[in-house]
C-alpha cells in the first residue's frame, strides 16, 4: 500500500510535526507500507532514507492565489497514493483533501496545533491583506475538517475546540510518541541547566526566556537556548542581546540526538510559546526526568493533573516557578520521576499502532 505524507521528513526541516512524520514513516515502512513525502523545498532534493518529491512556490504569496494548485495536484497524481496523511491544516492540506475526494481514496488529517481548530478574531488583524489571508486560512480549515475521511487529534482539548468551532469531533486521539531514551541520565547539581528548545519565531516568544534569564541572573543557573534562527532583524537583535547576558547562551540548531543528550544533563525545561499542539519537547524532557515549566501551554491539563511541571500563565509566576525548582533539588527529582513514568505510559511508540489500525481497517 502506498501512503503519501504531505510534509517534509525531519532531515530536511527540524520541526515538531516533521519529527513525528519521520517517526511514523519509519514505523510504517517496517510494517511493509510504501511511504512517500511531498513538500515545499527551495533546492533539488534527494534523500537516502525516503521517497521524496518537492514543489516550489514561485512567489511569496501565490499560495493564496491558487497559482501552484496544478503543480501540486499533478505531483500527487504522479505518486498515485492509496491514502494521504497530513499533519497540520494549510493550503496543501486542502489540495490533498480535494484529491482524495475526487479519486475516492482516504484522507487522514492530523491536528498539529491549536491554530488548526480555532477560529480567528477580526479584532487582532492589523490590515486588510492580513484579514484576507486569515479568512482564506479559515475557509481551508472548514473544507478540510468537513471533507477529511478521518481526523486525528493529539489531545482531547483539540477535539473539543474542533467540535465547538467546526461541529466535528476527532475520530481518534493519538498522543505524540517518542522512542525511549538511550542516553545516560546524569546531572551535576552544582550548576542548574535550564533549557529552551524551539526555532526563533514570534509565536515561540524567545524574548520571554531571555527576560527570565535576566530576572534570575544572581543564582547558580545556566540558561541555554537551542534552535534555528532567521536572518531577519528581529532574530539577529535577540542573538545580539543574548551575547551580553552572562548566564545565558545560544548554541544554535542541534540534531535531535544532541538535544536529547542536553536534556539528559539538564534540570529544567521552559516553554514560552503562545500556542502549540502537544509539544514534542515536553515528551523529550519528561522521558529524561526533566520538569517542564510552561508559560501558556498545558494540553489537557497534563502538567497540573499529573504534577509533572508547572503551567505558570504569567511571566512573574514563571519566574517564581523556575526559581522554586532551582532551589529545591528534591522537588526537581520528584517531579522528574513522575514525568518519566507519565511519558513512558502515555507517549511510547505503542501509540502508532492506533494509526496503523485506522489505515488498515479503512483500506481492507
Amino acid at each position: 500500500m502506498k501512503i503519501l505524507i504531505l510534509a517534509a521528513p525531519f532531515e530536511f526541516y527540524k520541526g515538531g510535526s516533521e519529527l513525528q512524520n519521520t517517526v511514523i514513516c519509519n514505523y510504517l515502512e517496517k510494517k511493509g507500507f510504501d511511504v512517500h513525502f511531498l513538500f515545499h523545498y527551495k533546492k533539488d532534493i534527494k534523500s537516502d532514507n525516503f521517497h521524496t518529491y518537492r514543489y516550489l512556490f514561485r512567489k511569496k504569496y501565490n499560495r493564496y492565489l491558487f497559482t501552484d494548485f496544478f503543480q501540486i495536484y499533478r505531483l500527487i497524481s504522479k505518486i498515485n497514493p492509496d491514502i494521504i496523511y497530513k499533519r497540520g491544516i494549510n493550503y496543501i492540506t486542502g489540495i490533498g483533501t480535494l484529491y482524495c475526494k475526487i479519486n475516492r481514496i482516504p484522507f487522514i488529517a492530523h491536528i498539529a496545533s491549536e491554530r488548526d481548530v480555532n477560529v480567528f478574531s477580526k479584532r487582532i488583524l492589523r490590515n486588510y491583506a492580513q484579514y484576507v489571508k486569515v479568512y482564506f486560512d479559515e475557509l481551508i480549515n472548514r473544507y478540510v475538517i468537513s471533507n477529511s475521511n478521518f481526523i486525528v487529534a493529539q489531545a482531547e482539548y483539540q477535539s473539543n475546540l474542533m467540535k465547538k468551532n467546526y461541529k466535528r469531533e476527532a475520530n481518534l486521539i493519538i498522543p505524540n510518541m517518542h522512542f525511549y531514551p538511550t542516553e545516560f541520565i546524569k546531572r551535576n547539581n552544582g550548576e542548574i541547566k535550564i533549557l529552551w528548545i524551539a526555532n526563533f519565531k514570534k509565536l515561540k516568544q524567545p524574548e520571554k526566556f531571555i527576560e527570565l534569564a535576566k530576572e534570575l541572573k544572581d543564582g547558580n543557573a545556566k540558561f541555554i537556548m537551542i534552535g534555528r534562527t532567521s536572518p531577519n532583524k528581529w532574530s539577529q537583535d535577540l542573538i545580539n542581546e543574548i551575547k551580553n547576558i552572562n548566564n545565558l547562551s545560544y548554541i544554535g540548531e542541534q540534531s535531535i540526538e544532541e538535544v536529547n543528550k542536553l536534556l539528559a544533563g539538564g534540570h529544567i525545561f521552559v516553554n514560552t510559546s503562545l500556542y502549540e499542539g502537544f509539544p514534542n519537547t515536553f515528551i523529550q524532557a519528561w522521558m529524561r526526568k526533566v520538569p517542564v515549566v510552561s508559560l501558556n501551554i498545558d494540553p489537557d491539563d497534563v502538567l497540573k493533573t499529573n504534577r509533572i511541571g508547572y503551567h505558570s500563565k504569567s511571566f512573574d509566576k514563571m519566574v517564581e516557578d523556575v526559581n522554586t525548582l532551582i532551589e529545591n533539588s528534591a522537588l526537581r527529582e520528584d517531579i522528574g520521576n513522575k514525568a518519566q513514568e507519565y511519558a513512558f505510559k502515555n507517549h511510547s511508540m505503542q501509540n502508532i499502532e492506533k494509526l496503523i489500525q485506522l489505515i488498515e481497517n479503512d483500506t481492507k
Side-chain angles (χ1 to χ4, degrees):
M1 182 190 302
K2 188 182 290 185
I3 298 177
L4 173 60
I5 298 177
L6 291 176
F10 192 70
E11 66 182 278
F12 290 105
Y13 186 86
K14 291 178 173 55
S17 289
E18 290 74 20
L19 174 59
Q20 289 294 307
N21 288 332
T22 302
V23 167
I24 289 168
C25 175
N26 288 331
Y27 201 87
L28 287 171
E29 289 193 329
K30 288 178 183 177
K31 289 279 187 176
F33 293 94
D34 182 17
V35 184
H36 296 246
F37 285 92
L38 173 62
F39 56 99
H40 167 62
Y41 207 68
K42 293 181 179 180
K43 302 176 183 177
D44 288 326
I45 52 170
K46 185 176 181 181
S47 170
D48 295 328
N49 303 308
F50 308 112
H51 302 294
T52 54
Y53 305 82
R54 72 153 185 162
Y55 58 85
L56 181 64
F57 288 130
R58 285 180 286 273
K59 294 180 182 178
K60 185 175 181 182
Y61 293 113
N62 66 3
R63 70 191 69 185
Y64 301 108
L65 300 175
F66 296 97
T67 52
D68 287 296
F69 174 89
F70 292 106
Q71 176 199 179
I72 297 165
Y73 196 94
R74 281 195 298 267
L75 281 169
I76 296 175
S77 299
K78 177 183 176 181
I79 297 166
N80 191 26
D82 299 302
I83 189 168
I84 296 179
Y85 171 88
K86 176 71 169 72
R87 203 175 187 96
I89 298 178
N90 57 20
Y91 172 65
I92 310 306
T93 322
I95 297 175
T97 307
L98 177 63
Y99 178 91
C100 288
K101 194 173 182 68
I102 292 172
N103 292 275
R104 298 183 179 181
I105 65 171
F107 186 87
I108 300 174
H110 199 140
I111 303 304
S113 168
E114 185 177 320
R115 185 181 182 278
D116 293 337
V117 291
N118 253 328
V119 291
F120 304 97
S121 171
K122 298 180 181 65
R123 290 175 295 179
I124 66 171
L125 303 180
R126 294 188 295 271
N127 53 53
Y128 181 74
Q130 190 180 34
Y131 172 80
V132 171
K133 175 184 177 299
V134 165
Y135 180 73
F136 183 79
D137 286 342
E138 192 168 308
L139 284 178
I140 292 174
N141 282 20
R142 291 190 182 281
Y143 179 79
V144 170
I145 290 170
S146 297
N147 291 280
S148 295
N149 299 80
F150 301 99
I151 297 181
V152 179
Q154 301 166 311
E156 286 286 349
Y157 87 94
Q158 293 173 345
S159 183
N160 293 337
L161 273 174
M162 186 166 60
K163 182 179 180 181
K164 175 185 174 184
N165 295 325
Y166 297 99
K167 312 303 180 188
R168 179 173 177 179
E169 294 180 83
N171 298 89
L172 274 178
I173 308 293
I174 304 179
N176 286 356
M177 61 217 81
H178 279 273
F179 294 103
Y180 292 134
T182 57
E183 308 84 18
F184 180 63
I185 299 173
K186 184 177 181 180
R187 298 183 169 92
N188 176 9
N189 287 331
E191 182 180 63
I192 307 302
K193 294 179 181 178
I194 303 169
L195 304 176
W196 183 93
I197 305 164
N199 294 324
F200 276 53
K201 299 177 181 179
K202 290 190 177 181
L203 72 88
K204 303 291 185 180
Q205 298 194 117
E207 69 277 5
K208 298 290 185 183
F209 189 77
I210 295 171
E211 290 302 315
L212 177 67
K214 290 178 180 178
E215 288 287 331
L216 297 173
K217 65 181 184 300
D218 295 328
N220 66 330
K222 177 68 175 177
F223 293 77
I224 303 168
M225 302 185 78
I226 304 161
R228 183 175 59 253
T229 61
S230 299
N232 59 50
K233 184 178 184 301
W234 176 78
S235 294
Q236 295 311 306
D237 285 348
L238 291 176
I239 297 300
N240 290 331
E241 184 177 2
I242 290 167
K243 291 175 182 177
N244 295 317
I245 303 171
N246 292 333
N247 64 332
L248 176 62
S249 61
Y250 167 66
I251 60 173
E253 186 176 31
Q254 302 292 319
S255 69
I256 189 169
E257 293 80 11
E258 186 60 29
V259 168
N260 288 336
K261 182 179 176 182
L262 288 163
L263 283 167
H267 298 83
I268 303 164
F269 172 71
V270 174
N271 181 292
T272 56
S273 298
L274 284 169
Y275 62 85
E276 291 201 34
F278 200 118
N280 290 290
T281 46
F282 279 26
I283 305 166
Q284 291 167 262
W286 291 332
M287 283 192 168
R288 291 157 185 85
K289 299 185 177 183
V290 180
V292 169
V293 178
S294 176
L295 177 57
N296 295 307
I297 300 161
D298 187 9
D300 291 347
D301 293 329
V302 294
L303 292 170
K304 178 182 177 181
T305 303
N306 298 281
R307 298 181 180 180
I308 53 179
Y310 295 103
H311 181 199
S312 303
K313 299 183 181 180
S314 71
F315 178 78
D316 289 343
K317 186 65 167 60
M318 181 174 69
V319 173
E320 178 185 328
D321 293 336
V322 171
N323 195 48
T324 296
L325 289 172
I326 290 172
E327 295 180 347
N328 193 330
S329 60
L331 179 63
R332 285 199 312 272
E333 185 175 351
D334 180 58
I335 293 175
N337 288 334
K338 289 176 182 174
Q340 188 183 67
E341 182 181 351
Y342 169 83
F344 282 2
K345 181 179 179 181
N346 293 280
H347 296 282
S348 74
M349 291 304 300
Q350 193 65 32
N351 289 355
I352 203 172
E353 286 294 339
K354 298 177 184 178
L355 185 60
I356 299 288
Q357 290 171 14
L358 178 66
I359 293 169
E360 290 179 336
N361 290 340
D362 190 67
T363 53
K364 283 181 179 178

